[in-house]
Amino acid sequence: DKADRVCQRIEPLCRERGGLWLFKLLNMYSTVRMKQSRFPEALAMYEEFESLIGHSAEEQWELYDTVFRNFGWIHCSMGNHEKAMHYFRRCVEIKRKNGVPPHWFDQWDLGKTHARMQVSKGNFAALKHSIELIKKGIELHQQVEQQDKVMLCKMLNSAGECAQMLGDYSGHEEARGWHEEAVR
């Protein structure tokens, strides 16, 4: 992978220079590691990245919104759904503290992660709440990015998967309704 080779090659130079050089490298390199499904390495790099920020979440809330989201994605990919949910909730909290409503992406992340947590616990009935969160994300998305059909399809797929599982684990009468919801 070219990006990985470039990062490996420049890492010693960036560490030597430090500061912004190392900061940018860790941000980029952790993303490469995430794309490679090397999540423990991505997590270690991103923890180091966060340690270099030099400001509190209150001082740089917009940066931390991204930091929290990336930590959420890494933990979710590692199967640490509780930790992922913690970080996705922090994205919403930090926005609210600064008078900014949650973004559609927040709602989708919360919904998907809630679904993963509930499925891992065998609590399929709780997928109803997951669907509500995802649908709120879809509603917000349609208000601001109607032309983005690809992302809309991804979110609809997430809600459909939840509805399909609800149907699969519901009684016969209820199952039909959830299976129909899954294909809407």
Side-chain angles (χ1 to χ4, degrees), residues 68-116:
F68 295 154
R69 181 177 320 289
N70 287 342
F71 272 128
W73 287 342
I74 293 169
H75 282 292
C76 200
S77 297
M78 292 173 67
N80 302 332
H81 304 301
E82 298 284 343
K83 279 188 173 182
M85 185 62 90
H86 165 77
Y87 282 109
F88 293 140
R89 285 184 179 134
R90 289 186 75 184
C91 289
V92 171
E93 290 167 10
I94 202 164
K95 284 185 185 84
R96 285 192 175 138
K97 282 183 184 176
N98 288 279
V100 176
H103 191 268
W104 61 262
F105 224 124
D106 296 322
Q107 293 300 131
W108 188 33
D109 284 336
L110 289 169
K112 290 186 303 179
T113 305
H114 182 269
R116 288 179 178 119

Side-chain angles (χ1 to χ4, degrees), residues 10 48 59 94 102 141 173:
I10 66 171
E48 184 178 359
E59 294 171 316
I94 202 164
H141 178 266
E173 292 299 316

Side-chain angles (χ1 to χ4, degrees), residues 29-42:
Y29 209 175
S30 64
T31 302
V32 169
R33 288 291 188 242
M34 287 192 299
K35 297 288 185 186
Q36 295 172 319
S37 299
R38 294 168 68 175
F39 304 113
E41 292 170 65

Side-chain angles (χ1 to χ4, degrees), residues 14-41:
C14 291
R15 287 195 177 280
E16 185 179 312
R17 291 195 81 165
L20 190 57
W21 289 84
L22 181 57
F23 188 74
K24 287 189 174 276
L25 169 80
L26 290 168
N27 188 41
M28 181 178 65
Y29 209 175
S30 64
T31 302
V32 169
R33 288 291 188 242
M34 287 192 299
K35 297 288 185 186
Q36 295 172 319
S37 299
R38 294 168 68 175
F39 304 113
E41 292 170 65

Side-chain angles (χ1 to χ4, degrees), residues 69 72-73 76 81-82 84-89 91-92 102-120 123-138 140 154-163 165-166:
R69 181 177 320 289
W73 287 342
C76 200
H81 304 301
E82 298 284 343
M85 185 62 90
H86 165 77
Y87 282 109
F88 293 140
R89 285 184 179 134
C91 289
V92 171
H103 191 268
W104 61 262
F105 224 124
D106 296 322
Q107 293 300 131
W108 188 33
D109 284 336
L110 289 169
K112 290 186 303 179
T113 305
H114 182 269
R116 288 179 178 119
M117 285 172 42
Q118 300 312 315
V119 168
S120 71
N123 187 8
F124 298 100
L127 291 173
K128 292 175 188 175
H129 181 63
S130 304
I131 292 171
E132 290 172 18
L133 290 167
I134 295 167
K135 282 184 172 182
K136 179 63 178 172
I138 292 168
L140 292 170
K154 289 179 180 184
M155 290 190 291
L156 287 168
N157 184 64
S158 295
E161 286 176 349
C162 290
M165 279 189 273
L166 265 168

